[in-house]
Amino acid sequence: MEGMNYWEKLRVNCSVLRLVMFSKKKSSRENSDTKRACEMGTACYKMGDYENALIYLHRAAIGGNAMAICGVGMIYIKGLGVEQDGKKALYWFRKGAKLKDSQSQYMVGMIYYDGIGVKQNLKRAARWLHKSALQGFSMAQFKLGYMYEKGIGF
């Protein structure tokens, strides 16, 4: 790896991880493959390899993994390796919210709060933040408290 720049090393590391994760005997259970794809996507995300992260997280998201669904939404909302797209992010966060994922619910609320890719709607924002806060998601609790204090969205 000598003579490689930082990004080339990340790609090599991600490729090595891919070989390790997927060279194991594949389980016949889809859930195991979905979990493995989510882990691989998360590892690539943490290393900054957003292109591969999206591939693996998307694969796991299609399998119904709530963490992966939220991860795909985060890639689109932040524009990591793709063009920032609030509508695509909202699509994925809503899918996660339907699975009762508190972070996805929070992100749906924040998209409506900030009006990213959609028209700002503070009532919808409060409703989604409330769902997330009820599950104990602290960032939603904080934002909802702020909204109550300021009389926003109610």
Side-chain angles (χ1 to χ4, degrees), residues 53-118:
L54 183 59
I55 291 168
Y56 289 111
L57 290 174
H58 188 267
R59 182 183 302 167
I62 296 300
N65 183 295
M67 183 175 159
I69 291 169
C70 189
V72 171
M74 293 302 279
I75 287 173
Y76 281 114
I77 198 74
K78 292 181 177 182
L80 301 172
V82 295
E83 190 172 324
Q84 186 178 17
D85 190 333
K87 288 182 181 182
K88 282 185 181 177
L90 182 60
Y91 168 81
W92 287 102
F93 289 134
R94 279 188 177 155
K95 284 180 79 79
K98 285 180 184 176
L99 297 174
K100 307 234 185 298
D101 177 59
S102 61
Q103 186 173 0
S104 292
Q105 291 170 337
Y106 168 76
M107 291 305 298
V108 171
M110 291 307 298
I111 286 173
Y112 281 117
Y113 183 87
D114 292 329
I116 301 171
V118 295

Side-chain angles (χ1 to χ4, degrees), residues 1 3-15:
M1 291 223 268
M4 295 176 128
N5 71 29
Y6 176 77
W7 296 109
E8 290 169 332
K9 288 178 185 176
L10 279 178
R11 290 210 187 276
V12 169
N13 287 337
C14 213
S15 296

